[in-house]
Amino acid sequence: MIKGLAISTVWVLDQDRAKEFYTEKLGLEVRTDMTMGEGGMRWLTVGAKDQPDVELTLMVPDPSTMDPEAAGALKTLVSKGVMGAGVLATDDIHGDYEKLKERGVEFLQAPQERPYGIEAILRDDSGNWYSFTQRREGALDVDKDWSC
């Protein structure tokens, strides 16, 4: 049976740039960086130091992963910033927001109160955006504004 999520794909435009962004700016660690077979697909994964069982694979849409037309369409969507890649969790939204800004991370939204906690929105170097969230303890506060 399914035990949980282990690896999730994040589509990026350049794996070397993405590796630098996710490790040097976001502080994740490289888990795997290898090429599968001669001239094959590069398998690059990163993850949070304190969460060894979950990884992000940073994949470029190219002929090793899909047909050229689909790869082109996906690259266009990623570069336009329409791909929300997920939620990155923190227990110090205000402090970590400032640290990440100092490292050059682009934020689309500063930390704001939400029904589920405090959320900022950041963008990676390819255009993917993430909710950067400090979860609220307890139940949702349905009286908080849901709008962005």
Side-chain angles (χ1 to χ4, degrees):
M1 292 304 295
I2 296 172
K3 295 182 354 181
L5 179 66
I7 300 174
S8 184
T9 300
V10 176
W11 296 106
V12 299
L13 302 178
D14 180 288
Q15 284 178 305
D16 289 325
R17 272 196 358 244
K19 179 180 177 180
E20 181 180 325
F21 178 86
Y22 282 84
T23 59
E24 295 180 19
K25 292 190 178 181
L26 295 185
L28 301 180
E29 62 184 15
V30 173
R31 300 282 174 74
T32 307
D33 190 353
M34 62 178 275
T35 301
M36 296 184 174
E38 194 171 317
M41 177 183 73
R42 182 177 179 190
W43 184 253
L44 172 61
T45 68
V46 297
K49 179 182 70 168
D50 295 331
Q51 195 176 24
D53 56 340
V54 177
E55 299 176 70
L56 299 176
T57 181
L58 306 175
M59 298 290 296
V60 174
D62 64 25
S64 70
T65 57
M66 62 190 64
D67 68 76
E69 183 180 346
L74 188 50
K75 284 180 182 178
T76 298
L77 291 172
V78 169
S79 66
K80 286 184 175 187
V82 297
M83 304 291 285
V87 178
L88 300 174
T90 180
D91 57 3
D92 180 12
I93 187 75
H94 296 289
D96 290 341
Y97 169 78
E98 291 301 327
K99 285 179 197 170
L100 293 178
K101 275 182 50 177
E102 288 172 10
R103 292 180 189 167
V105 173
E106 175 189 2
F107 280 87
L108 304 176
Q109 173 194 292
Q112 295 182 11
E113 293 278 342
R114 299 283 183 237
Y116 43 84
I118 305 170
E119 175 188 56
I121 305 292
L122 66 87
R123 186 182 306 224
D124 75 6
D125 68 312
S126 292
N128 297 300
W129 60 269
Y130 288 88
S131 167
F132 184 51
T133 301
Q134 180 176 338
R135 267 197 177 164
R136 172 179 164 64
E137 290 189 31
L140 289 176
D141 182 352
V142 295
D143 294 326
K144 293 274 188 231
D145 186 15
W146 285 89
S147 64
C148 294

